[in-house]
Amino acid sequence: QVQLVESGGGLVQAGGSLRLSCAASGNIFSINVMGWYRQAPGKERELVAVFNSGGSTNYADSVKGRFTISRVNGKNTVYLEMNSLKPEDTAVYYCYCNYKRWGYSPNYDYWGQGTQVTVSS
């Protein structure tokens, strides 16, 4: 069993900052991808920022230069520092990981419960 424990959402004014964290635990041998997606009302879930295997990162164009993903190696924890927040960043933010349960297992996806981020204008 896997757990993704998210924290850090909330209400902030436009231009403000928030920091999200996500800690993965449980039956995880290795993590291939870990990071954040978001879903605004009436819209599809979209990638925000992720770490790929090897340590490279992907960011949505809409957050480049404002959001920074970081991680604590060895602790399966990622953070999302969100600066210069805009009302259009309002969404439920979901932690995501793609992982292996043992060395030669298939890859599995797991999603956190989500944390609400609301940016007021």
Side-chain angles (χ1 to χ4, degrees):
Q1 194 168 356
V2 172
Q3 280 190 318
L4 293 177
V5 179
E6 303 156 325
S7 64
L11 173 64
V12 65
Q13 287 189 330
S17 300
L18 283 174
R19 188 190 195 212
L20 306 182
S21 66
C22 176
S25 63
N27 187 20
I28 297 173
F29 175 79
S30 64
I31 292 179
N32 304 310
V33 178
M34 188 169 178
W36 297 92
Y37 283 69
R38 67 186 180 187
Q39 188 166 19
K43 295 189 177 181
E44 293 188 354
R45 192 171 297 189
E46 63 176 1
L47 180 146
V48 177
V50 294
F51 273 105
N52 300 305
S53 58
S56 64
T57 55
N58 284 352
Y59 288 91
D61 287 342
S62 60
V63 307
K64 285 179 181 176
R66 300 188 298 122
F67 291 11
T68 303
I69 189 170
S70 61
R71 64 182 180 180
V72 178
N73 284 334
K75 291 193 175 182
N76 292 339
T77 300
V78 293
Y79 301 95
L80 185 68
E81 189 75 36
M82 304 184 292
N83 297 316
S84 302
L85 282 161
K86 304 176 181 180
E88 51 263 43
D89 295 316
T90 296
V92 178
Y93 284 68
Y94 294 92
C95 184
Y96 164 80
C97 77
N98 178 273
Y99 69 100
K100 290 186 179 294
R101 295 177 183 173
W102 63 90
Y104 296 100
S105 83
N107 296 324
Y108 295 88
D109 292 325
Y110 199 82
W111 294 89
Q113 300 257 1
T115 184
Q116 177 70 46
V117 171
T118 303
V119 185
S120 63
S121 56

